[in-house]
Amino acid sequence: MTNSSKSEKVQTEAASHSLPQQRPTATLSPETNRVLIGLLSRAEVAARLGVCVHSVQRMTRKGLLPCIVFNRRLLRYKSEDVEKFILSAVTGKGRAE
């Protein structure tokens, strides 16, 4: 094997290993996209409340913060519900209704 064929082999092997495998992404239906507009993700709620995402998850699980469940991994929160939660936390009234 000559030097040029060795370097070509090394370059092709390096090129094949350097590209990350892309995972297929799920596309949402137009109806779901329409509903999601105006709703907040768990991270956005956490930023508004000044807490971590796990705290938002815990509050949701306890029923303190209502959410809309699209599937097991896709939860969204209404802005009004987050504002009610903040008011209820400030006034000490308990769960946001």
Side-chain angles (χ1 to χ4, degrees):
M1 196 181 293
T2 65
N3 274 347
S4 64
S5 62
K6 270 187 180 179
S7 65
E8 288 173 9
K9 183 179 177 184
V10 170
Q11 286 175 348
T12 39
E13 286 177 4
S16 65
H17 292 294
S18 65
L19 297 174
Q21 294 292 327
Q22 288 188 342
R23 297 171 62 192
T25 56
T27 56
L28 299 174
S29 68
E31 296 83 25
T32 304
N33 279 332
R34 203 172 311 119
V35 171
L36 288 176
I37 294 173
L39 298 178
L40 303 172
S41 69
R42 193 178 291 149
E44 292 169 329
V45 172
R48 282 194 183 188
L49 298 177
V51 298
C52 70
V53 176
H54 297 292
S55 296
V56 174
Q57 209 170 9
R58 193 169 39 254
M59 289 182 257
T60 303
R61 214 176 20 248
K62 288 181 178 181
L64 300 173
L65 189 59
C67 70
I68 300 169
V69 180
F70 290 95
N71 62 40
R72 201 178 112 216
R73 295 182 62 181
L74 182 61
L75 304 175
R76 290 294 183 260
Y77 300 84
K78 292 181 182 178
S79 299
E80 309 87 56
D81 290 340
V82 175
E83 297 305 319
K84 286 180 187 176
F85 176 79
I86 293 170
L87 288 174
S88 69
V90 169
T91 60
K93 298 274 187 191
R95 184 180 182 274
E97 295 291 331

Coordinates of all heavy atoms in Angstrom, one line a residue:
M1 N 0.9 -1.2 0.0 CA 0.0 0.0 0.0 C 0.9 1.2 0.0 O 1.8 1.3 0.8 CB -0.9 0.0 1.2 CG -2.0 0.9 1.1 SD -3.1 0.9 2.6 CE -3.9 -0.6 2.6
T2 N 0.6 2.2 -0.9 CA 1.4 3.4 -1.0 C 0.9 4.4 0.1 O -0.2 4.2 0.7 CB 1.2 4.0 -2.4 OG1 -0.1 4.4 -2.6 CG2 1.7 3.0 -3.5
N3 N 1.7 5.4 0.3 CA 1.4 6.5 1.2 C 0.1 7.2 0.9 O -0.7 7.5 1.8 CB 2.5 7.5 1.3 CG 3.6 7.1 2.3 OD1 3.3 6.1 3.1 ND2 4.7 7.7 2.3
S4 N -0.2 7.4 -0.4 CA -1.4 8.1 -0.8 C -2.6 7.3 -0.5 O -3.6 7.8 -0.1 CB -1.3 8.6 -2.3 OG -1.3 7.4 -3.1
S5 N -2.5 6.0 -0.8 CA -3.7 5.1 -0.5 C -3.9 5.0 1.0 O -5.1 4.9 1.4 CB -3.6 3.8 -1.2 OG -2.5 3.1 -0.7
K6 N -2.9 4.9 1.8 CA -3.0 4.9 3.2 C -3.7 6.1 3.8 O -4.6 6.0 4.6 CB -1.6 4.7 3.9 CG -1.1 3.4 4.1 CD 0.2 3.4 4.9 CE 0.7 2.1 5.1 NZ 1.9 2.1 5.9
S7 N -3.3 7.3 3.3 CA -3.9 8.5 3.8 C -5.3 8.6 3.3 O -6.1 9.1 4.1 CB -3.1 9.7 3.3 OG -3.1 9.9 1.9
E8 N -5.6 8.2 2.1 CA -7.0 8.2 1.7 C -7.9 7.3 2.6 O -9.0 7.6 2.9 CB -7.1 7.8 0.2 CG -6.6 8.8 -0.8 CD -6.6 8.3 -2.2 OE1 -7.1 7.2 -2.4 OE2 -6.0 8.9 -3.0
K9 N -7.4 6.1 2.9 CA -8.1 5.2 3.8 C -8.4 5.8 5.1 O -9.5 5.7 5.7 CB -7.3 3.9 3.9 CG -8.1 2.8 4.7 CD -7.3 1.5 4.7 CE -8.0 0.6 5.6 NZ -7.3 -0.7 5.8
V10 N -7.3 6.4 5.7 CA -7.5 7.0 7.0 C -8.5 8.2 7.0 O -9.3 8.3 7.9 CB -6.1 7.5 7.5 CG1 -6.2 8.4 8.7 CG2 -5.2 6.4 7.8
Q11 N -8.4 9.0 5.9 CA -9.4 10.1 5.8 C -10.8 9.6 5.6 O -11.7 10.2 6.3 CB -9.0 11.0 4.6 CG -7.8 11.8 4.8 CD -7.4 12.6 3.5 OE1 -7.9 12.3 2.4 NE2 -6.5 13.5 3.7
T12 N -11.0 8.6 4.9 CA -12.4 8.1 4.7 C -12.9 7.4 6.0 O -14.0 7.6 6.4 CB -12.5 7.0 3.6 OG1 -11.4 6.2 3.6 CG2 -12.8 7.7 2.3
E13 N -12.0 6.7 6.8 CA -12.4 6.2 8.0 C -12.7 7.3 9.1 O -13.7 7.2 9.8 CB -11.3 5.3 8.6 CG -11.2 3.9 7.9 CD -10.1 3.1 8.4 OE1 -9.4 3.5 9.4 OE2 -9.9 2.0 7.9
A14 N -11.9 8.3 9.1 CA -12.2 9.4 10.0 C -13.4 10.2 9.6 O -14.2 10.5 10.5 CB -11.0 10.4 9.9
A15 N -13.7 10.3 8.4 CA -14.9 11.0 8.0 C -16.2 10.2 8.3 O -17.2 10.8 8.7 CB -14.9 11.3 6.5
S16 N -16.1 8.9 8.2 CA -17.3 8.1 8.5 C -17.5 8.0 10.0 O -18.7 7.9 10.5 CB -17.1 6.7 8.0 OG -16.0 6.0 8.7
H17 N -16.5 8.2 10.9 CA -16.7 8.2 12.3 C -17.0 9.5 12.9 O -17.4 9.6 14.1 CB -15.5 7.6 13.0 CG -15.3 6.1 12.7 ND1 -16.2 5.2 13.1 CD2 -14.3 5.5 11.9 CE1 -15.8 4.0 12.7 NE2 -14.7 4.1 12.0
S18 N -16.7 10.6 12.2 CA -16.9 11.9 12.8 C -18.3 12.4 12.8 O -18.7 13.3 13.5 CB -15.9 12.9 12.1 OG -16.3 13.1 10.7
L19 N -19.1 11.9 11.9 CA -20.5 12.4 11.8 C -21.4 11.7 12.8 O -21.4 10.5 12.9 CB -21.1 12.1 10.4 CG -20.4 12.8 9.2 CD1 -21.0 12.4 7.9 CD2 -20.5 14.3 9.4
P20 N -22.1 12.5 13.7 CA -23.0 11.9 14.7 C -24.2 11.3 14.0 O -24.7 11.8 13.0 CB -23.3 13.0 15.6 CG -23.2 14.2 14.7 CD -22.1 13.9 13.8
Q21 N -24.7 10.2 14.5 CA -25.9 9.6 14.0 C -27.1 10.5 14.4 O -27.2 10.9 15.6 CB -26.1 8.2 14.6 CG -25.1 7.2 14.2 CD -25.2 6.9 12.7 OE1 -26.3 6.9 12.1 NE2 -24.1 6.7 12.0
Q22 N -27.9 10.9 13.5 CA -29.1 11.7 13.8 C -30.3 10.8 14.1 O -30.5 9.9 13.4 CB -29.4 12.6 12.6 CG -28.4 13.7 12.4 CD -28.9 14.7 11.3 OE1 -29.7 14.4 10.5 NE2 -28.3 15.9 11.3
R23 N -30.9 11.2 15.2 CA -32.1 10.5 15.6 C -33.3 11.0 14.8 O -33.4 12.3 14.6 CB -32.3 10.6 17.1 CG -31.2 10.0 17.9 CD -31.3 10.3 19.3 NE -32.5 9.7 19.9 CZ -33.0 10.0 21.1 NH1 -32.3 10.9 21.8 NH2 -34.1 9.5 21.5
P24 N -34.2 10.2 14.4 CA -35.4 10.8 13.8 C -36.2 11.6 14.7 O -36.3 11.3 15.9 CB -36.2 9.5 13.4 CG -35.7 8.4 14.2 CD -34.3 8.8 14.6
T25 N -36.7 12.7 14.3 CA -37.5 13.6 15.1 C -39.0 13.4 14.8 O -39.4 13.2 13.7 CB -37.1 15.1 14.9 OG1 -37.3 15.4 13.5 CG2 -35.7 15.4 15.2
A26 N -39.7 13.5 15.9 CA -41.2 13.4 15.7 C -41.8 14.7 15.2 O -41.4 15.8 15.7 CB -41.8 13.0 17.0
T27 N -42.7 14.7 14.3 CA -43.3 15.9 13.9 C -44.7 15.9 14.5 O -45.4 14.9 14.6 CB -43.5 15.9 12.4 OG1 -44.1 14.7 11.9 CG2 -42.1 16.0 11.7
L28 N -45.1 17.0 15.0 CA -46.4 17.2 15.6 C -47.5 17.6 14.5 O -47.2 18.2 13.5 CB -46.4 18.3 16.7 CG -45.4 18.0 17.8 CD1 -45.3 19.2 18.7 CD2 -45.8 16.8 18.6
S29 N -48.7 17.1 14.8 CA -49.7 17.5 13.8 C -50.0 19.0 13.9 O -49.8 19.6 14.9 CB -51.0 16.7 14.2 OG -51.5 17.2 15.4
P30 N -50.6 19.5 12.8 CA -51.0 20.9 12.8 C -51.9 21.3 13.9 O -51.8 22.4 14.5 CB -51.6 21.1 11.5 CG -51.2 20.0 10.6 CD -50.9 18.9 11.5
E31 N -52.8 20.4 14.3 CA -53.7 20.7 15.4 C -53.0 20.8 16.7 O -53.2 21.7 17.5 CB -54.8 19.6 15.6 CG -55.7 19.4 14.4 CD -55.1 18.6 13.3 OE1 -54.2 17.7 13.6 OE2 -55.5 18.7 12.1
T32 N -52.0 19.9 17.0 CA -51.2 20.0 18.2 C -50.4 21.3 18.2 O -50.3 22.0 19.2 CB -50.3 18.8 18.3 OG1 -51.1 17.6 18.2 CG2 -49.5 18.8 19.6
N33 N -49.8 21.6 17.1 CA -49.0 22.9 17.0 C -49.9 24.1 17.3 O -49.5 25.0 18.0 CB -48.4 23.0 15.6 CG -47.1 22.2 15.5 OD1 -46.4 22.0 16.5 ND2 -46.8 21.8 14.3
R34 N -51.1 24.1 16.8 CA -52.0 25.2 17.0 C -52.3 25.3 18.5 O -52.4 26.4 19.0 CB -53.3 25.0 16.2 CG -54.0 26.3 15.9 CD -55.2 26.1 15.0 NE -54.9 25.4 13.8 CZ -55.4 24.2 13.4 NH1 -56.3 23.6 14.1 NH2 -55.1 23.6 12.3
V35 N -52.5 24.2 19.2 CA -52.9 24.2 20.6 C -51.6 24.7 21.4 O -51.8 25.4 22.4 CB -53.4 22.8 21.0 CG1 -53.5 22.7 22.5 CG2 -54.7 22.5 20.4
L36 N -50.4 24.2 21.0 CA -49.2 24.5 21.8 C -48.9 26.0 21.8 O -48.2 26.5 22.7 CB -48.1 23.7 21.2 CG -48.1 22.2 21.5 CD1 -46.9 21.6 20.8 CD2 -48.1 22.0 23.0
I37 N -49.3 26.8 20.8 CA -49.0 28.2 20.8 C -49.7 28.9 22.0 O -50.9 28.7 22.2 CB -49.5 28.8 19.4 CG1 -48.7 28.2 18.3 CG2 -49.4 30.3 19.5 CD1 -49.2 28.6 16.9
G38 N -48.9 29.6 22.7 CA -49.5 30.3 23.9 C -49.4 29.5 25.2 O -49.7 29.9 26.2
L39 N -48.9 28.2 25.1 CA -48.7 27.4 26.3 C -47.2 27.4 26.6 O -46.4 27.6 25.8 CB -49.2 26.0 26.0 CG -50.7 25.8 25.7 CD1 -51.0 24.4 25.4 CD2 -51.5 26.3 26.8
L40 N -46.9 27.1 27.9 CA -45.6 27.2 28.4 C -45.0 25.8 28.6 O -45.7 24.9 29.1 CB -45.5 27.9 29.7 CG -46.1 29.4 29.7 CD1 -46.2 29.9 31.1 CD2 -45.2 30.3 28.8
S41 N -43.7 25.6 28.3 CA -43.1 24.4 28.6 C -42.7 24.3 30.1 O -42.8 25.3 30.8 CB -41.8 24.2 27.7 OG -40.9 25.1 28.2
R42 N -42.3 23.2 30.5 CA -41.8 23.0 31.9 C -40.7 23.9 32.2 O -40.6 24.6 33.3 CB -41.5 21.6 32.2 CG -41.3 21.2 33.6 CD -41.0 19.7 33.8 NE -42.1 18.9 33.4 CZ -42.0 17.7 32.9 NH1 -40.8 17.2 32.7 NH2 -43.1 17.0 32.6
A43 N -39.7 24.1 31.3 CA -38.6 25.0 31.5 C -39.0 26.4 31.6 O -38.4 27.2 32.4 CB -37.6 24.8 30.4
E44 N -40.0 26.8 30.8 CA -40.4 28.2 30.8 C -41.1 28.5 32.1 O -41.0 29.6 32.7 CB -41.4 28.5 29.6 CG -40.7 28.5 28.3 CD -41.6 28.4 27.1 OE1 -42.7 27.9 27.2 OE2 -41.2 29.0 26.1
V45 N -41.9 27.5 32.6 CA -42.6 27.7 33.9 C -41.5 27.8 35.0 O -41.6 28.7 35.9 CB -43.6 26.6 34.2 CG1 -44.1 26.6 35.6 CG2 -44.7 26.6 33.2
A46 N -40.5 27.0 35.0 CA -39.5 27.0 36.0 C -38.8 28.4 36.0 O -38.5 28.9 37.0 CB -38.5 25.9 35.7
A47 N -38.5 28.9 34.8 CA -37.9 30.2 34.7 C -38.8 31.3 35.3 O -38.3 32.2 36.0 CB -37.6 30.6 33.3
R48 N -40.1 31.2 35.0 CA -41.0 32.2 35.6 C -41.1 32.2 37.1 O -41.2 33.2 37.8 CB -42.4 32.1 35.0 CG -42.6 32.6 33.7 CD -44.0 32.7 33.3 NE -44.2 33.2 31.9 CZ -45.3 33.5 31.4 NH1 -46.4 33.4 32.1 NH2 -45.4 33.9 30.1
L49 N -41.1 30.9 37.6 CA -41.2 30.7 39.1 C -39.8 30.9 39.8 O -39.8 31.0 41.0 CB -41.8 29.4 39.4 CG -43.2 29.1 38.9 CD1 -43.6 27.7 39.2 CD2 -44.2 30.1 39.5
G50 N -38.7 30.8 39.0 CA -37.4 30.9 39.7 C -37.0 29.7 40.4 O -36.3 29.7 41.4
V51 N -37.5 28.5 39.9 CA -37.1 27.2 40.5 C -36.6 26.3 39.4 O -36.6 26.7 38.2 CB -38.4 26.6 41.1 CG1 -38.9 27.4 42.2 CG2 -39.5 26.3 40.1
C52 N -36.1 25.1 39.7 CA -35.6 24.2 38.7 C -36.8 23.4 38.1 O -37.9 23.4 38.6 CB -34.6 23.3 39.3 SG -35.3 22.1 40.5
V53 N -36.5 22.8 37.0 CA -37.5 22.0 36.3 C -38.0 20.9 37.1 O -39.2 20.6 37.1 CB -36.9 21.5 35.0 CG1 -37.8 20.6 34.2 CG2 -36.4 22.6 34.1
H54 N -37.2 20.3 38.0 CA -37.7 19.2 38.8 C -38.7 19.7 39.9 O -39.6 18.9 40.2 CB -36.5 18.5 39.5 CG -35.5 17.9 38.6 ND1 -35.8 16.8 37.8 CD2 -34.3 18.2 38.2 CE1 -34.8 16.5 37.0 NE2 -33.9 17.3 37.3
S55 N -38.6 20.9 40.3 CA -39.5 21.5 41.2 C -40.9 21.6 40.6 O -41.9 21.3 41.2 CB -39.1 22.8 41.8 OG -37.9 22.6 42.5
V56 N -40.9 22.1 39.3 CA -42.1 22.2 38.5 C -42.8 20.8 38.4 O -44.0 20.6 38.5 CB -41.9 22.9 37.2 CG1 -43.1 22.9 36.3 CG2 -41.4 24.3 37.4
Q57 N -41.9 19.8 38.1 CA -42.4 18.5 37.9 C -43.0 18.0 39.2 O -44.1 17.4 39.2 CB -41.2 17.6 37.6 CG -41.5 16.4 36.8 CD -40.2 15.7 36.3 OE1 -39.1 16.1 36.7 NE2 -40.3 14.8 35.4
R58 N -42.4 18.2 40.3 CA -42.9 17.8 41.6 C -44.2 18.5 42.0 O -45.2 17.9 42.4 CB -41.8 18.1 42.7 CG -42.1 17.5 44.0 CD -40.9 17.6 45.0 NE -40.2 18.9 44.9 CZ -39.0 19.0 44.4 NH1 -38.3 18.0 43.8 NH2 -38.4 20.2 44.4
M59 N -44.3 19.8 41.7 CA -45.6 20.6 41.9 C -46.7 20.0 41.1 O -47.9 20.0 41.5 CB -45.4 22.1 41.7 CG -44.5 22.8 42.7 SD -44.3 24.5 42.3 CE -42.7 24.6 41.6
T60 N -46.4 19.7 39.8 CA -47.4 19.1 38.9 C -47.9 17.8 39.5 O -49.1 17.5 39.5 CB -46.8 19.0 37.5 OG1 -46.4 20.2 37.1 CG2 -47.9 18.5 36.6
R61 N -46.9 16.9 39.9 CA -47.3 15.6 40.4 C -48.2 15.7 41.6 O -49.1 14.9 41.8 CB -46.0 14.8 40.6 CG -46.1 13.4 40.4 CD -44.8 12.6 40.6 NE -43.8 13.2 41.4 CZ -42.6 13.6 40.9 NH1 -42.3 13.5 39.6 NH2 -41.7 14.1 41.7
K62 N -47.9 16.7 42.5 CA -48.7 16.8 43.7 C -50.0 17.5 43.4 O -50.9 17.6 44.3 CB -47.9 17.7 44.7 CG -46.7 17.0 45.3 CD -46.0 17.9 46.3 CE -44.9 17.2 47.0 NZ -44.2 18.1 48.0
G63 N -50.2 18.0 42.2 CA -51.5 18.6 41.9 C -51.6 20.1 42.2 O -52.6 20.7 42.2
L64 N -50.4 20.7 42.6 CA -50.4 22.1 42.9 C -50.4 23.0 41.7 O -50.9 24.1 41.7 CB -49.2 22.4 43.7 CG -49.0 21.6 45.0 CD1 -47.7 21.9 45.7 CD2 -50.1 22.1 46.0
L65 N -49.9 22.5 40.6 CA -49.8 23.2 39.3 C -50.5 22.5 38.2 O -49.9 21.4 37.8 CB -48.3 23.5 39.0 CG -48.0 24.5 37.9 CD1 -48.6 25.8 38.2 CD2 -46.5 24.6 37.8
P66 N -51.6 22.9 37.7 CA -52.3 22.1 36.7 C -51.6 22.2 35.3 O -50.9 23.2 35.0 CB -53.7 22.8 36.6 CG -53.6 24.1 37.2 CD -52.4 24.1 38.2
C67 N -51.7 21.2 34.5 CA -51.0 21.1 33.2 C -51.9 20.4 32.2 O -52.9 19.8 32.6 CB -49.7 20.5 33.3 SG -49.8 18.7 33.6
I68 N -51.6 20.6 31.0 CA -52.3 19.9 29.9 C -51.3 18.8 29.4 O -50.1 19.0 29.1 CB -52.6 20.8 28.7 CG1 -53.5 22.0 29.2 CG2 -53.2 20.1 27.6 CD1 -53.6 23.1 28.2
V69 N -51.8 17.5 29.4 CA -51.0 16.4 29.1 C -51.3 16.0 27.6 O -52.5 15.6 27.3 CB -51.2 15.2 30.0 CG1 -50.4 14.0 29.6 CG2 -51.0 15.6 31.4
F70 N -50.3 16.1 26.7 CA -50.5 15.6 25.4 C -50.1 14.2 25.2 O -50.8 13.4 24.5 CB -49.7 16.5 24.4 CG -50.3 17.9 24.3 CD1 -49.8 18.9 25.0 CD2 -51.3 18.1 23.4 CE1 -50.3 20.2 24.9 CE2 -51.9 19.4 23.3 CZ -51.3 20.4 24.0
N71 N -49.0 13.8 25.9 CA -48.6 12.4 26.0 C -47.7 12.4 27.2 O -47.5 13.4 27.9 CB -47.9 11.8 24.7 CG -46.7 12.6 24.3 OD1 -45.9 13.0 25.2 ND2 -46.5 12.8 23.0
R72 N -47.1 11.2 27.5 CA -46.3 11.1 28.7 C -45.1 12.1 28.8 O -44.7 12.5 29.9 CB -45.7 9.6 28.7 CG -45.3 9.2 30.1 CD -44.8 7.8 30.0 NE -43.4 7.8 30.3 CZ -42.5 7.0 29.8 NH1 -42.8 6.1 29.0 NH2 -41.2 7.2 30.1
R73 N -44.6 12.5 27.6 CA -43.4 13.3 27.7 C -43.7 14.8 27.3 O -42.9 15.7 27.5 CB -42.4 12.8 26.7 CG -41.8 11.5 27.1 CD -40.8 11.0 26.2 NE -39.7 11.9 26.2 CZ -38.6 11.8 25.4 NH1 -38.5 10.8 24.6 NH2 -37.6 12.7 25.5
L74 N -44.9 15.1 26.8 CA -45.3 16.4 26.4 C -46.3 17.0 27.3 O -47.5 16.6 27.2 CB -45.7 16.4 24.9 CG -46.1 17.7 24.3 CD1 -44.9 18.6 24.3 CD2 -46.6 17.5 22.9
L75 N -45.9 17.9 28.2 CA -46.8 18.6 29.1 C -46.7 20.1 28.8 O -45.6 20.5 28.5 CB -46.4 18.4 30.6 CG -46.3 16.9 31.1 CD1 -45.8 16.9 32.5 CD2 -47.6 16.2 31.0
R76 N -47.8 20.8 28.9 CA -47.7 22.2 28.7 C -48.6 22.9 29.8 O -49.5 22.3 30.3 CB -48.2 22.6 27.3 CG -47.3 22.3 26.2 CD -46.0 23.0 26.3 NE -45.0 22.7 25.2 CZ -44.0 21.9 25.3 NH1 -43.8 21.2 26.4 NH2 -43.2 21.7 24.3
Y77 N -48.3 24.1 30.1 CA -49.0 24.9 31.1 C -49.6 26.1 30.5 O -48.9 26.8 29.7 CB -47.9 25.2 32.2 CG -47.3 24.0 32.9 CD1 -46.2 23.4 32.3 CD2 -47.8 23.5 34.0 CE1 -45.6 22.3 32.8 CE2 -47.2 22.3 34.6 CZ -46.1 21.8 34.0 OH -45.5 20.7 34.6
K78 N -50.8 26.4 31.0 CA -51.4 27.7 30.6 C -50.8 28.8 31.4 O -50.5 28.7 32.6 CB -52.9 27.7 30.9 CG -53.7 26.7 30.0 CD -55.1 26.8 30.4 CE -56.0 25.8 29.6 NZ -57.4 25.9 30.0
S79 N -50.6 30.0 30.8 CA -50.0 31.1 31.4 C -50.9 31.5 32.6 O -50.4 31.9 33.7 CB -49.9 32.3 30.5 OG -49.0 32.0 29.4
E80 N -52.2 31.5 32.4 CA -53.1 31.9 33.5 C -53.0 31.0 34.7 O -53.1 31.5 35.8 CB -54.6 31.8 33.0 CG -54.9 32.5 31.7 CD -54.6 31.6 30.4 OE1 -55.2 30.5 30.4 OE2 -53.9 32.0 29.6
D81 N -52.8 29.7 34.5 CA -52.6 28.8 35.6 C -51.4 29.1 36.4 O -51.3 29.0 37.6 CB -52.6 27.3 35.1 CG -54.0 26.9 34.6 OD1 -55.0 27.5 35.0 OD2 -54.0 25.9 33.8
V82 N -50.3 29.4 35.7 CA -49.0 29.8 36.3 C -49.2 31.0 37.1 O -48.8 31.1 38.3 CB -47.9 29.9 35.3 CG1 -46.6 30.4 36.0 CG2 -47.7 28.6 34.6
E83 N -49.9 32.0 36.6 CA -50.2 33.3 37.3 C -51.0 33.0 38.5 O -50.8 33.6 39.6 CB -50.8 34.3 36.4 CG -50.0 34.7 35.2 CD -48.6 35.3 35.6 OE1 -48.5 36.0 36.6 OE2 -47.7 34.9 34.9
K84 N -52.1 32.2 38.4 CA -52.9 31.8 39.6 C -52.1 31.1 40.6 O -52.3 31.4 41.8 CB -54.1 30.9 39.1 CG -55.1 31.7 38.4 CD -56.2 30.7 38.0 CE -57.2 31.3 37.1 NZ -58.3 30.4 36.6
F85 N -51.2 30.3 40.2 CA -50.3 29.6 41.1 C -49.4 30.5 41.9 O -49.3 30.4 43.1 CB -49.4 28.5 40.4 CG -48.5 27.8 41.3 CD1 -48.9 26.8 42.2 CD2 -47.1 28.2 41.4 CE1 -48.0 26.2 43.0 CE2 -46.3 27.6 42.3 CZ -46.7 26.6 43.1
I86 N -48.9 31.5 41.2 CA -48.0 32.5 41.8 C -48.9 33.3 42.9 O -48.4 33.5 44.0 CB -47.4 33.4 40.8 CG1 -46.4 32.7 39.9 CG2 -46.7 34.6 41.4 CD1 -45.9 33.4 38.7
L87 N -50.1 33.7 42.5 CA -50.9 34.5 43.4 C -51.3 33.6 44.6 O -51.3 34.1 45.7 CB -52.2 35.0 42.7 CG -52.0 36.1 41.7 CD1 -53.3 36.4 40.9 CD2 -51.5 37.3 42.4
S88 N -51.6 32.4 44.4 CA -52.0 31.5 45.5 C -50.8 31.3 46.4 O -51.0 31.2 47.6 CB -52.6 30.2 45.0 OG -51.5 29.4 44.4
A89 N -49.6 31.2 45.9 CA -48.4 31.0 46.7 C -48.2 32.3 47.5 O -47.8 32.2 48.7 CB -47.2 30.7 45.9
V90 N -48.4 33.5 46.9 CA -48.1 34.7 47.6 C -49.2 35.0 48.7 O -48.9 35.4 49.8 CB -48.1 35.9 46.6 CG1 -48.2 37.2 47.3 CG2 -46.9 35.8 45.7
T91 N -50.5 34.7 48.4 CA -51.5 34.9 49.4 C -51.7 33.7 50.3 O -52.4 33.9 51.3 CB -52.9 35.2 48.6 OG1 -53.2 34.0 47.8 CG2 -52.8 36.4 47.8
G92 N -51.1 32.6 50.1 CA -51.2 31.5 51.0 C -52.5 30.7 50.8 O -52.9 30.1 51.8
K93 N -53.2 30.8 49.7 CA -54.5 30.2 49.5 C -54.4 28.7 49.1 O -55.4 28.1 49.0 CB -55.3 30.9 48.5 CG -55.6 32.3 48.8 CD -56.8 32.4 49.7 CE -57.2 33.9 49.9 NZ -58.2 34.1 50.9
G94 N -53.2 28.2 48.9 CA -53.1 26.8 48.5 C -53.1 26.6 47.0 O -52.5 27.3 46.3
R95 N -53.7 25.5 46.6 CA -53.7 25.0 45.2 C -54.4 26.1 44.3 O -55.4 26.6 44.6 CB -54.5 23.7 45.1 CG -54.5 23.1 43.8 CD -55.3 21.8 43.8 NE -55.2 21.2 42.5 CZ -56.0 21.4 41.5 NH1 -57.0 22.3 41.6 NH2 -56.0 20.8 40.3
A96 N -53.7 26.2 43.1 CA -54.3 27.1 42.1 C -55.5 26.4 41.4 O -55.4 25.3 41.0 CB -53.2 27.4 41.0
E97 N -56.6 27.1 41.4 CA -57.9 26.5 40.8 C -58.1 27.0 39.5 O -58.1 28.2 39.2 CB -59.0 26.8 41.7 CG -58.9 26.2 43.1 CD -59.1 24.6 43.1 OE1 -59.8 24.1 42.2 OE2 -58.5 24.0 43.9

